[in-house]
Amino acid sequence: MIVEVFPNTNALSRAVAERFVASARVALAERDAFYVALGGGKTPRKAYELLASDPYRGQIDWRKVHVFFGDERNVPTTDPESNEGMAREAFLDSVPIPSANIHGMYNGERAEEAAAAYERILKSFFAPTGYTFDLAHLGVGPDGHTASLFPRAGTLQETRWVAPAETEMLAVRERITLTPAVLCRSRGIVFEVAGADKANIIRQIIDAKADYPAGVVARCVENSVWMLDEAAAALTAATR
Ligand code: 6PG
């Protein structure tokens, strides 16, 4: 587990965009394709906007990129809560990626059907064993969730690759989420975390190795990288 700290969110976002490009170049050179699972929430937006701008935009052969999502609410992509909508607005609609290569999670079905359909899509790209995503770009909530894998939820033990999120205990919209069954076979995972409200959970996950979902996922792959701004890294000793 690597921990990188950046002075502010602009530096963090640039570093995330650079790591995205570097991961893509390796995958394209080695396998002529780049399979990436995008994070949701607010944090990734700046890095995604950079990917649609120079110099990053021209550094990737977008025709060979396939974009998936870590989780999604059952809302139209025009809804402000849509992770796909955020990614499209930030960069996907501004780079020459074939529309068929953008694999949205919901098409109006209920969570169970959407999860089963998405798992079929993933399994049409990834073999039953071996690696899945070249890069999974995830965030962390103040409660230690990642994607829509919430603390004390059964989804952490799911054998399905995609499952309805357990949101009963939370006042949040119906969602589906990638599970560790598919995330833990990624070649690399980047957790992009910013803000003082994440400092305590970062300390618990990185220093105390607490078993929050983000920590479970971070520790299940060799190449997991925590990319933090100074505010989120304020309480962890890992970078001192
Ligand atoms: C989502 C994300 C979720 C997010 C964290 C952090 O759909 O909301 O998958 O896991 O990464 O909640 O969100 P912020 O970046 O907005 O703090």
Side-chain angles (χ1 to χ4, degrees):
M1 192 186 297
I2 298 168
V3 180
E4 297 175 346
V5 180
F6 300 90
N8 53 54
T9 53
N10 286 338
L12 171 62
S13 301
R14 268 197 310 279
V16 170
E18 284 158 11
R19 186 173 286 274
F20 185 105
V21 168
S23 301
R25 292 168 80 102
V26 166
L28 290 167
E30 291 180 0
R31 293 175 295 279
D32 204 30
F34 178 50
Y35 300 121
V36 59
L38 298 184
K42 300 179 193 60
T43 305
R45 187 178 193 114
K46 270 190 196 171
Y48 292 166
E49 288 168 351
L50 285 173
L51 290 173
S53 68
D54 293 332
Y56 307 100
R57 173 195 167 88
Q59 294 174 346
I60 296 179
D61 183 351
W62 294 98
R63 295 169 304 164
K64 299 175 180 176
V65 176
H66 282 269
V67 161
F68 304 90
F69 296 90
D71 66 326
E72 187 60 282
R73 296 122 172 99
N74 188 357
V75 294
T77 52
T78 49
D79 187 299
E81 283 200 55
S82 168
N83 290 337
E84 177 184 344
M86 181 274 281
R88 281 183 177 278
E89 214 171 273
F91 78 115
L92 291 177
D93 288 348
S94 311
V95 296
I97 183 170
S99 56
N101 290 17
I102 301 172
H103 304 283
M105 286 186 119
Y106 263 111
N107 291 305
E109 318 94 324
R110 299 293 298 156
E112 285 290 346
E113 290 80 11
Y118 209 68
E119 178 158 343
R120 286 193 294 274
I121 290 172
L122 292 174
K123 289 186 172 175
S124 71
F125 283 91
F126 307 131
T129 57
Y131 287 112
T132 54
F133 304 109
D134 296 298
L135 177 67
H137 179 201
L138 299 175
V140 183
D143 63 352
H145 80 261
T146 191
S148 282
L149 299 165
F150 294 102
R152 297 177 298 287
T155 38
L156 278 177
Q157 287 74 39
E158 263 291 348
T159 52
R160 290 179 294 181
W161 287 13
V162 191
E166 291 184 14
T167 55
E168 297 71 34
M169 55 276 210
L170 306 159
V172 295
R173 309 285 283 265
E174 173 189 292
R175 307 160 174 221
I176 63 174
T177 184
L178 299 185
T179 68
V182 68
L183 286 170
C184 293
R185 288 170 41 198
S186 301
R187 292 177 189 269
I189 297 184
V190 164
F191 290 90
E192 183 187 2
V193 191
D197 63 325
K198 307 286 176 74
N200 185 37
I201 198 67
I202 287 296
R203 181 187 56 75
Q204 292 184 66
I205 289 173
I206 295 179
D207 298 11
K209 297 187 175 26
D211 269 352
Y212 292 99
V216 168
V217 173
R219 284 190 286 277
C220 75
V221 298
E222 284 154 50
N223 300 332
S224 61
V225 182
W226 291 89
M227 300 181 79
L228 315 172
D229 72 350
E230 277 187 2
L235 300 179
T236 175
T239 57
R240 304 295 179 252

